[in-house]
Amino acid sequence: MIETLILAWPWSLVALPLPWLARRFLPPAPPTTGSALRVPFFDELRALERGDEQRPRSSGAKRWVMWAAWALLVTAAARPEVVDTAGVMPISGRDLVLAVDISGSMEQPDFDIDGRRVTRLGVVKSVAGRFIERREGDRMGLILFGAQAYLQTPLTFDRKTVAAMLNEAEIGLAGKQTAIGDAIGLALKRMLESEQQDRVLILLTDGANTAGAVSPLRAARLAADEGLRIYTIGIGAEQVRIDTVFGTQVINPSSDLDERTLEAIARTTGGAYFRAGDTERLEAIYRRLDQLEPARRDQDVFRPVRSLYYWPLAIALLLSGWLAVSRLSWRLSSPLRWRAGASV
């Protein structure tokens, strides 16, 4: 990882020569006149000051420490920062919610995957799971509905979680009937809580609205008023051959599918209706949805920044503390040195 050291306020460094300029050009402080206290042994103190025990002036080492403390304070004021390697974060393209029917009829095994017979929900998990993986940049949510509609996954950029929650869905978890209108209403309610204006709902069902408090067409009109586009998918084989005592018969396992209502929902909201009679057509539908609602590839570049000002500030405080302690220790020891010299 490549890191760069920068100063957020580099103009603060102009303060570095201030102590030297003050010492060089400012006049010295005027001497103190008058005595606030008369000391009877003042002559002895002056003699002591002129002698070997006179107060030491700042040594060269202490001057360097003072300069270092000042330089560190100025450096801290300049706010040194470490900028890490640039990272990339996808920008939200849209809010996209999948509403999947898990009513009892979704248990019908009229689809094939690799020559293996699977249920309608099983093929949805497989095909829609790959669709979810491709939706980078979109904020996705998952609604499961039967007799009632449930928000299984709130809107999130975590596509892996959405795919996992879809894979864990079970037939009949939300009841045996189908509440299409409630599913649309729940999706609309959750999307209105977001500030995103581009909203899409992909609703998949194999039946007709047989439960719920809101009719599908009324929910569709409310969705259209709020700019929610709905793509509907009717799933289920159009014909299946079964063996009976009277021989092989062909039946339509999707006779309960209300295509007229699904078409009206899509038309009202500016979406489209698709019919998935087999696995290949369902895969083609989700690829078509990728074209109609392309995943956004816009990206925002960001560089994490870590402040380091507290390091030079801490060192400067330590140096200043050492200077203060050394000066205080000299003052405390001065009377002892004078008494020792006076006793001699």
Side-chain angles (χ1 to χ4, degrees):
M1 179 180 293
I2 301 176
E3 297 181 342
T4 305
L5 180 63
I6 65 170
L7 296 177
W9 297 340
W11 46 265
S12 299
L13 297 180
V14 299
L16 276 175
L18 285 181
W20 179 84
L21 292 174
R23 182 184 179 89
R24 178 70 176 79
F25 296 104
L26 292 181
T32 304
T33 58
S35 300
L37 177 65
R38 293 188 177 275
V39 183
F41 46 87
F42 180 71
D43 293 337
E44 289 83 352
L45 287 176
R46 293 199 59 181
L48 181 61
E49 184 178 331
R50 290 192 300 267
D52 294 335
E53 297 294 334
Q54 71 178 23
R55 176 181 176 179
R57 297 180 180 273
S58 298
S59 64
K62 286 189 176 181
R63 282 198 298 270
W64 280 110
V65 170
M66 286 186 280
W67 272 108
W70 173 254
L72 289 168
L73 285 174
V74 174
T75 302
R79 288 187 57 191
E81 297 175 341
V82 170
V83 182
D84 293 336
T85 305
V88 176
M89 181 176 63
I91 298 177
S92 172
R94 63 180 59 79
D95 285 347
L96 192 154
V97 173
L98 301 180
V100 178
D101 186 352
I102 57 170
S103 61
S105 57
M106 288 292 287
E107 199 170 10
Q108 179 74 26
D110 54 356
F111 279 79
D112 291 321
I113 297 180
D114 299 329
R116 178 172 51 90
R117 208 69 170 169
V118 297
T119 65
R120 294 171 179 177
L121 182 58
V123 74
V124 170
K125 290 180 179 180
S126 176
V127 178
R130 291 193 293 271
F131 172 77
I132 293 171
E133 293 177 358
R134 298 194 297 267
R135 304 305 301 183
E136 181 178 2
D138 288 341
R139 202 166 63 143
M140 301 195 68
L142 176 63
I143 290 176
L144 302 178
F145 67 96
Q148 297 178 344
Y150 294 96
L151 180 66
Q152 189 73 355
T153 306
L155 289 166
T156 177
F157 288 111
D158 188 357
R159 303 190 310 281
K160 290 184 179 180
T161 297
V162 178
M165 297 304 289
L166 173 61
N167 193 53
E168 293 176 3
E170 296 292 339
I171 298 292
L173 184 65
K176 297 294 184 180
Q177 295 178 300
T178 307
I180 297 175
D182 285 3
I184 297 174
L186 178 59
L188 179 60
K189 177 182 178 182
R190 293 304 180 184
M191 288 187 179
L192 290 179
E193 296 173 354
S194 168
E195 297 180 357
Q196 179 61 254
Q197 298 300 314
D198 197 359
R199 308 179 179 118
V200 175
L201 170 63
I202 300 175
L203 186 143
L204 182 145
T205 183
D206 67 343
N209 190 77
T210 57
V214 182
S215 70
L217 293 181
R218 175 172 172 74
R221 287 192 292 270
L222 293 174
D225 292 340
E226 298 296 339
L228 170 62
R229 291 187 303 282
I230 303 178
Y231 296 91
T232 55
I233 302 175
I235 189 172
E238 296 172 353
Q239 61 179 19
V240 173
R241 295 179 181 273
I242 61 173
D243 295 327
T244 68
V245 294
F246 302 103
T248 302
Q249 294 185 350
V250 178
I251 64 171
N252 179 12
S254 301
S255 58
D256 293 334
L257 180 61
D258 187 359
E259 293 191 72
R260 181 176 297 180
T261 297
L262 295 179
E263 289 175 349
I265 292 172
R267 183 173 57 254
T268 301
T269 60
Y273 167 69
F274 303 95
R275 180 71 172 89
D278 53 46
T279 304
E280 291 72 21
R281 288 164 66 181
L282 183 60
E283 290 177 341
I285 289 170
Y286 277 107
R287 287 196 296 269
R288 178 60 178 158
L289 289 172
D290 281 331
Q291 297 173 358
L292 293 173
E293 301 289 341
R296 303 287 178 85
R297 298 297 179 182
D298 297 338
Q299 295 177 332
D300 187 16
V301 178
F302 69 99
R303 302 191 70 180
V305 177
R306 291 182 289 116
S307 296
L308 301 177
Y309 73 91
Y310 46 84
W311 287 110
L313 179 61
I315 298 174
L317 292 177
L318 288 175
L319 294 178
S320 300
W322 178 79
L323 290 172
V325 170
S326 63
R327 183 180 181 87
L328 180 61
S329 61
W330 183 89
R331 288 190 173 183
L332 292 176
S333 61
S334 294
L336 298 177
R337 291 199 304 272
W338 178 80
R339 289 179 181 176
S343 62
V344 173

